[in-house]
């Protein structure tokens, strides 16, 4: 008989290795107003969130005040409106900036938002009896500030490439000395993947952007060579992680390997810590589905694993979308759920107790080598063109992304790529999470825009009524213009604008007057569509288009328009490419148009159908403007269809207003959409009905 003991055997003792520190946990948040967003931030921080990720609304991102004509319908929808230093104070009220890690998704006007952030921190320090300079030196966080990917995928650019690179260079050289813990740029490949980038393209284009920025900083002569490692150490990246999590994890290891090689060999950085690949991540919102949205939870978890499992390539900060982002704006509870996913992995699992799980894996090593080799070849191709900026200006990079996206859509349509609940396993039980769609998402109060317009007008009026304040604002804007005409750093002039109460719209307009504006290539005309004649379905649609043209005696013309400030053009581009492949003549003028411009193009081109794409939630304001504009021009008989993230109740209202059809993310079949185009045109022109090609 075994000898009894009062103490447990060694097997009963849990072995618990030391744990690594978790990554910074964020949720991407902001809406309605600075005060409402501040309340949301403080609630999220109280729930264990360890950093802030600020979502700005589209007028703020594109340098317009709420009362500008292009801001109509966009204020407070996809983020928080920040127009001046007063808004910035409210946004971070009771949040000590010297102790916070804040990521700001801002690009074209990044310099001014950073200037206001610094001034707000200085004011907090003075109110607390602290030294403002010491607090500024402690500021930690990131301004995204990657204008290259804006030209390629997101569309919130303002200025041409040359001046945009100058603004980035000014910020980098300023922060490395004055705000040494700040990341002045976040090379952002996230939206490149959403625009169709393969892993090789995502790595290559991000690295090409980083090379362009670092070359510009080096060539400015403002940072001595012996201190250049400090610049490299503050360059961070923001990436996307899709559901193919093994490939995505290998992509991250490829990023790490390439960044170490480029910074060592091209820039002579000898300190390994300065060469570390530092990145944050939001997992793939594009892959979230409107159909069976509960499946998005497991997609998000798998995508999070891609950037956390490998210790040698682990993200420094993670923010997860909510399960219902394909339906509309997530509620605070939905954002809490996304945060809890991170916390369970970091604190309940044993992931952070081990070294890298994939070191020495021949499968992983082979895949990483494959991505690295492909990325190097593409980087060399871009460098042969003169670098990332010429590759943007020529339209090469944009066309390549549109082509990659088109091929991805074709694979989904053909069933080669399975999306559960969308093109396979479509039968489903009723979803209790979406039983009441109007309460399954958060909606922005209709009075938000009007309140913001009144507030910014009152701010400017009160400022200008005070001779001292008004005079200071006028002088600061003139100084900004004068500095922009030189090669001096624009950061100090921007800080003075912030202190003087200049608005974002005024700051951006002053620089527009000096730098001009830029409309990036759409990538549609040079993009590869269906190269082999397409599927039988597409050929059948093409036949219907040809027969309809014969009956009408004219070419069928379709206008694809993007009114408002929404720069998410991927869907519009794919519609334009497929319509061209189906035999339509396509008019696509790119992003950021007023409803009047869409109407004018439709009338001038004598189109048979207008397709309006809006993903920012401004459809209920902008689509009626298009409909009314067409009627006013005597073209009210032109059918209008609408695509975007549109709740069912809004779709019903749009149809009642006269919209011919509404398409949402669940309508992934482009051939079916083209088929509907033909049906709608034939019905409007009084032609007899035909058998649909995709029935």
């Amino acid at each position: 008989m075994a000898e009894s003991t009062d103490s447990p055997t060694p097997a009963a003792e849990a072995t618990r290795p030391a744990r690594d520190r978790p990554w910074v946990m964020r949720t991407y948040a902001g809406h309605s107003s600075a005060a409402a967003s501040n309340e949301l931030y403080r609630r999220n921080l109280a729930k264990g969130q360890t950093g802030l990720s600020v979502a700005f609304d589209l007028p703020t991102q594109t340098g317009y005040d709420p009362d500008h004509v292009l801001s109509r319908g966009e204020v407070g929808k996809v983020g928080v409106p920040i127009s001046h230093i007063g808004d910035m104070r409210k946004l971070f009220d009771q949040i000590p900036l010297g102790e916070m890690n804040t990521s700001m998704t801002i690009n074209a006007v990044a310099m001014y938002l950073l200037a206001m952030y610094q001034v707000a921190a200085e004011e907090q320090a003075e109110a607390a009896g602290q030294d403002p300079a010491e607090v500024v030196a402690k500021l930690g966080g990131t301004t995204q500030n990657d204008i290259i990917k804006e030209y390629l995928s997101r569309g919130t650019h303002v200025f041409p490439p040359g001046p945009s690179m100058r603004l980035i260079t000014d910020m980098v050289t300023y922060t490395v000395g004055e705000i040494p813990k700040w990341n002045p740029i976040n090379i952002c490949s996230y939206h490149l993947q959403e625009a169709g980038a393969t892993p090789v393209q995502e790595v290559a284009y991000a690295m090409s952007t980083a090379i362009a920025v670092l070359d510009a900083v080096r060539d400015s002569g403002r940072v001595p060579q012996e201190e250049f490692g400090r610049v490299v150490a503050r360059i961070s990246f923001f990436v996307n992680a899709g559901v193919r999590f093994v490939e995505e994890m290998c992509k991250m290891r490829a990023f790490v390997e390439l960044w170490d090689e480029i910074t060592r060999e091209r820039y002579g950085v000898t300190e390994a810590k300065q060469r570390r690949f530092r990145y944050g991540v939001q997992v793939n919102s594009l892959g979230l589905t409107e159909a069976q949205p509960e499946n998005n939870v497991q997609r998000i978890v798998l995508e999070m694993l891609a950037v956390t499992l490998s210790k040698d390539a682990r993200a420094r900060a993670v923010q997860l979308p909510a399960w219902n982002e394909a339906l509309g704006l997530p509620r605070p509870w939905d954002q809490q759920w996304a945060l809890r996913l991170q916390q369970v992995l970091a604190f309940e699992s044993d992931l952070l107790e081990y070294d890298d799980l994939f070191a020495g894996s021949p499968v992983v090593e082979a895949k990483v080598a494959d991505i690295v080799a492909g990325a190097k070849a593409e980087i060399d191709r871009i460098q042969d063109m003169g670098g990332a900026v010429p590759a943007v200006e020529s339209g090469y990079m944009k066309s390549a992304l549109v082509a990659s996206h088109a091929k991805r859509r074709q694979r989904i349509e053909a069933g080669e790529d399975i999306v559960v609940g969308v093109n396979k396993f479509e039968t489903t039980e009723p979803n209790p999470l979406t039983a009441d769609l109007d309460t399954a998402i958060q909606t922005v109060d209709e009075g938000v825009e009007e309140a913001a317009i009144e507030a910014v007008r009152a701010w400017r009026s009160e400022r200008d009524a005070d001779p001292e304040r008004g005079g200071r604002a006028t002088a600061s804007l003139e100084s900004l213009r004068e500095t922009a005409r030189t090669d001096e750093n624009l950061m100090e002039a921007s800080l003075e604008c912030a202190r003087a109460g200049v608005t974002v719209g005024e700051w951006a307009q002053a620089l527009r007057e000096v730098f001009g504006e830029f409309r990036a290539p759409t990538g549609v005309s040079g993009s590869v569509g269906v190269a082999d004649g397409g599927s039988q379905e597409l050929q059948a649609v093409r036949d219907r288009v040809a027969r309809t043209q014969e009956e009408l005696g004219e070419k069928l013309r379709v206008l694809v328009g993007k009114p408002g400030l929404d720069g998410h053009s991927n869907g519009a581009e794919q519609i334009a490419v497929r319509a061209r492949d189906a035999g339509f003549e396509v008019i696509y003028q790119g992003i950021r148009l007023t409803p009047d411009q869409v109407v004018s193009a439709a009338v001038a081109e004598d189109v048979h159908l207008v397709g309006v794409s809006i993903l920012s939630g401004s459809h209920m304001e902008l689509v009626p403007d298009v409909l009314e504009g067409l009627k006013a021009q005597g073209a009210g008989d032109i059918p209008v269809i609408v695509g975007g993230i549109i709740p069912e109740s809004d779709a019903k209202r749009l149809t009642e207003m006269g919209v011919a059809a509404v398409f949402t993310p669940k309508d992934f079949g482009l051939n079916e959409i083209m088929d509907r185009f033909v049906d709608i045109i034939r019905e409007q022109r009084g032609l007899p009905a035909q058998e649909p090609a995709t029935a």
Side-chain angles (χ1 to χ4, degrees), residues 419-654:
V419 182
V420 174
V422 174
N423 65 353
K424 198 172 181 65
F425 312 117
E426 298 165 64
T427 58
T428 182
E429 297 296 328
N431 185 345
L433 293 173
T434 58
D436 183 355
L437 278 174
D438 289 334
T439 61
I441 57 173
Q442 180 162 317
T443 56
V444 175
D445 190 284
E446 292 182 1
V448 162
E449 183 163 318
E450 189 58 40
I453 289 172
E454 292 177 3
V456 76
R457 287 176 176 170
W459 174 273
R460 291 194 301 252
S461 177
E462 292 170 10
R463 179 198 67 194
D464 294 343
D466 182 324
E468 183 177 345
R469 291 178 61 210
R472 185 178 183 183
T474 300
S476 69
L477 284 168
E478 183 53 38
S479 176
L480 180 70
R481 293 186 193 93
E482 291 176 0
T483 305
R485 296 186 183 101
T486 71
D487 59 0
E488 294 178 31
N489 196 311
L490 279 161
M491 195 66 200
E492 288 294 347
S494 296
L495 284 164
E496 173 57 19
C497 285
R499 295 179 180 117
V502 166
T503 68
V504 169
E506 291 170 327
W507 180 90
Q509 181 56 33
L511 293 185
R512 282 184 173 98
E513 293 168 11
V514 179
F515 295 152
E517 292 192 70
F518 184 71
R519 292 193 70 80
T522 66
V524 169
S525 60
S527 174
V528 176
V530 178
D532 60 356
S535 65
Q536 290 183 346
E537 278 190 352
L538 179 57
Q539 292 175 22
V541 174
R542 195 180 293 122
D543 289 342
R544 290 193 70 204
V545 171
R547 293 200 305 272
T548 302
Q549 289 178 159
E550 289 176 6
E551 291 176 62
L552 291 176
E554 56 188 8
K555 185 81 171 176
L556 294 190
R557 291 177 297 280
V558 173
L559 172 71
V560 178
K562 283 197 65 63
L565 297 176
D566 170 35
H568 281 105
S569 57
N570 304 328
E573 290 156 2
Q574 293 307 307
I575 290 290
V577 169
R578 185 58 60 86
R580 182 194 66 194
D581 290 340
F584 293 97
E585 180 182 329
V586 177
I587 297 93
Y588 176 58
Q589 299 173 317
I591 62 171
R592 215 179 301 168
L593 303 171
T594 65
D596 285 347
Q597 288 172 320
V598 173
V599 169
S600 295
V603 173
E605 299 288 349
D606 191 23
V607 299
H608 297 80
L609 182 142
V610 173
V612 175
S613 171
I614 303 173
L615 282 83
S616 63
S618 59
H619 46 271
M620 294 309 301
E621 292 83 7
L622 299 180
V623 173
D625 287 355
V626 171
L627 293 171
E628 291 166 11
L630 288 170
K631 290 176 184 175
Q633 292 290 325
D637 58 337
I638 300 176
V640 175
I641 62 102
V642 180
I645 300 176
I646 301 172
E648 192 173 310
S649 57
D650 285 358
K652 182 179 179 182
R653 290 167 62 191
L654 290 171

Side-chain angles (χ1 to χ4, degrees), residues 409-423:
R409 288 297 299 255
Q410 290 166 32
R411 290 195 303 270
I412 293 174
E413 288 177 304
E416 297 169 12
D417 288 358
I418 292 173
V419 182
V420 174
V422 174
N423 65 353

Side-chain angles (χ1 to χ4, degrees), residues 541 575 578-579 582 584 669-678:
V541 174
I575 290 290
R578 185 58 60 86
F584 293 97
L670 294 181
N671 292 333
E672 287 88 342
I673 293 174
M674 296 303 109
D675 218 14
R676 287 284 291 126
F677 281 13
V678 178

Side-chain angles (χ1 to χ4, degrees), residues 133-332:
E134 290 183 3
V135 171
V136 168
K138 292 194 300 182
L139 292 179
T142 302
T143 32
Q144 191 168 98
N145 204 19
D146 176 0
I147 209 67
I148 298 293
K149 65 90 179 173
E150 294 301 318
Y151 298 138
L152 295 175
S153 56
R154 181 59 185 84
T156 67
H157 53 275
V158 174
F159 312 113
S164 295
M165 291 299 289
R166 184 259 182 96
L167 288 169
I168 294 170
T169 301
D170 285 355
M171 286 182 65
V172 172
T173 55
Y174 173 81
T175 56
V176 75
E178 302 298 323
I179 319 179
K181 295 182 179 180
W182 193 265
N183 302 326
I185 186 169
N186 202 218
I187 308 295
C188 180
S189 68
Y190 175 88
H191 293 100
L192 299 181
Q193 186 181 114
E194 292 208 332
T198 64
V200 165
Q201 288 175 319
E202 189 178 341
V203 173
Y205 292 1
M207 288 298 171
S208 295
T209 298
I211 289 170
V213 170
L214 289 175
D215 281 1
V217 173
R218 179 194 61 194
D219 296 345
S220 74
R222 296 179 187 171
V223 181
Q225 176 58 40
E226 61 271 18
E227 295 183 18
F228 202 74
R230 293 172 56 210
V231 173
V232 170
R234 299 322 306 175
I235 304 296
S236 63
F237 291 76
F238 188 71
V239 305
N240 203 328
V243 76
R244 292 171 56 84
F245 76 96
V246 175
E247 182 176 64
E248 294 293 292
M249 183 271 295
C250 292
K251 178 188 75 180
M252 298 320 307
R253 294 173 75 92
F255 261 126
V256 170
E257 183 177 321
L258 262 177
W259 183 242
D260 185 77
E261 178 181 318
I262 289 169
T263 54
R264 183 181 65 252
E265 296 184 1
R266 188 180 182 96
Y267 302 106
V269 179
T270 57
E271 188 176 328
K273 185 177 180 181
Q274 293 178 332
R275 299 197 308 268
R276 182 182 299 160
F277 184 77
R278 300 160 54 254
Y279 78 99
V281 64
Q282 171 160 321
V283 305
N284 189 11
S285 293
L286 179 69
L288 303 184
T289 61
E290 179 185 9
Q292 299 182 26
E294 65 276 11
N295 294 333
N296 293 330
V297 177
Q298 50 265 37
R299 292 186 180 107
I300 291 167
V301 171
L302 286 170
E303 291 163 352
M304 175 174 54
L305 292 177
V307 295
T308 54
L309 279 179
S310 175
K311 180 177 179 179
D312 293 345
R314 183 171 292 149
R316 298 285 292 274
V318 176
Q319 59 191 47
L320 302 180
W323 69 277
N324 55 349
E325 285 198 14
L327 306 177
L329 185 67
R331 301 158 298 187

